[in-house]
Amino acid sequence: MAVLTDKMWHGEPLRATIKFGENLDYTVYTDNSYAPQAQQDSMNLLKQIDFSLSQGNARVNPLGIAVSNSISMQIYDADDSLSPINTQSPYYNKLVNGIEIDIEISYDGVSWDKYGVYFATNWSGNYEEGAHGFTSVSAEDIITTLGNEDLPELPVTQNLPAVDLIDAVMQGLGLTKNTDYAIDSQLDETVSYGIVQGGKVRDALNNICQLLFARVIVDRTGKILFVPALSPYDGCNEIVLTETDTGGQLSNHNTSNINYNKVVVHYLEEGEASRQVLFSDNSHVLADGTN
């Protein structure tokens, strides 16, 4: 774990590399002064990029259902090369969904660090008043694509360690452990869980995470991480904010997405199937700060 001391954004430049194929990368910068010399006079510009980052859809359940981080970019290209209908573009017929887009950031103006790996979901160009404008490109990380895959064939198992179950699913999809994905050491426990063939990967991953109180996220390098939902995970960063960093005001409130007024516990008795209510309470009001 590293404590981040540089808390503020200082206008660091970004660059986006769209990978259309071998020797056919398209690279654009938010500031061309950071581009190679041959590209510094280019009119091409990454005008705007918006990030939507989330560790899950918390409106579905307390742990959240795995959802992709996403970006939306506006790019100006002098030759309108990124317009889907430009038949003269070297990328014509290659502007399709699923194209990899690597986002990088430079903190020193020389070296570039990974700032996210995304896959295109939409391309949109425009032409008005006698000239072309910006091309809009939307993209999401690998979670959406991965979740839509059919579950691979898995062996029948019982009381399997959670890490082995996750490994079976991910490696069945052709992913390599510690390169394409990683599992936090805190999730190393045994679970009794069955996977039905014919389902989607997203359903299996969401169910596994609910059993383990975990989340599935994607880091800046594009690696899929299985991490605890309620505690810091391996390799996470720490940042300490004071009233100076937050503008002098902090607020504290509960979300209205999920409200509880009753807790019911059930148990299964070994042998003959039976079920009995152990505890049920809907008569108490929780007092702020004393629970």
Side-chain angles (χ1 to χ4, degrees), residues 25-26 56 101 107 131 154 157-158 166 182 205 211 217 262 267 271-272 290:
D25 288 352
Y26 179 94
I101 302 174
Y107 296 102
L154 301 173
T157 56
Q158 183 177 3
I166 296 172
L205 295 183
L211 285 173
I217 61 176
K262 179 190 294 185
Y267 74 94
E272 183 179 351
T290 60

Side-chain angles (χ1 to χ4, degrees), residues 6 12 37 50 54 83 88 96 100 117 122 152 154 177 183 190 209 234 263 273:
D6 194 355
E12 291 84 357
Q37 188 64 43
D50 297 318
S54 174
S83 175
Q88 304 303 312
V96 297
E100 181 178 331
V117 179
N122 184 68
L154 301 173
K177 190 171 185 178
I183 307 171
T190 300
C209 285
D234 294 344
V263 177

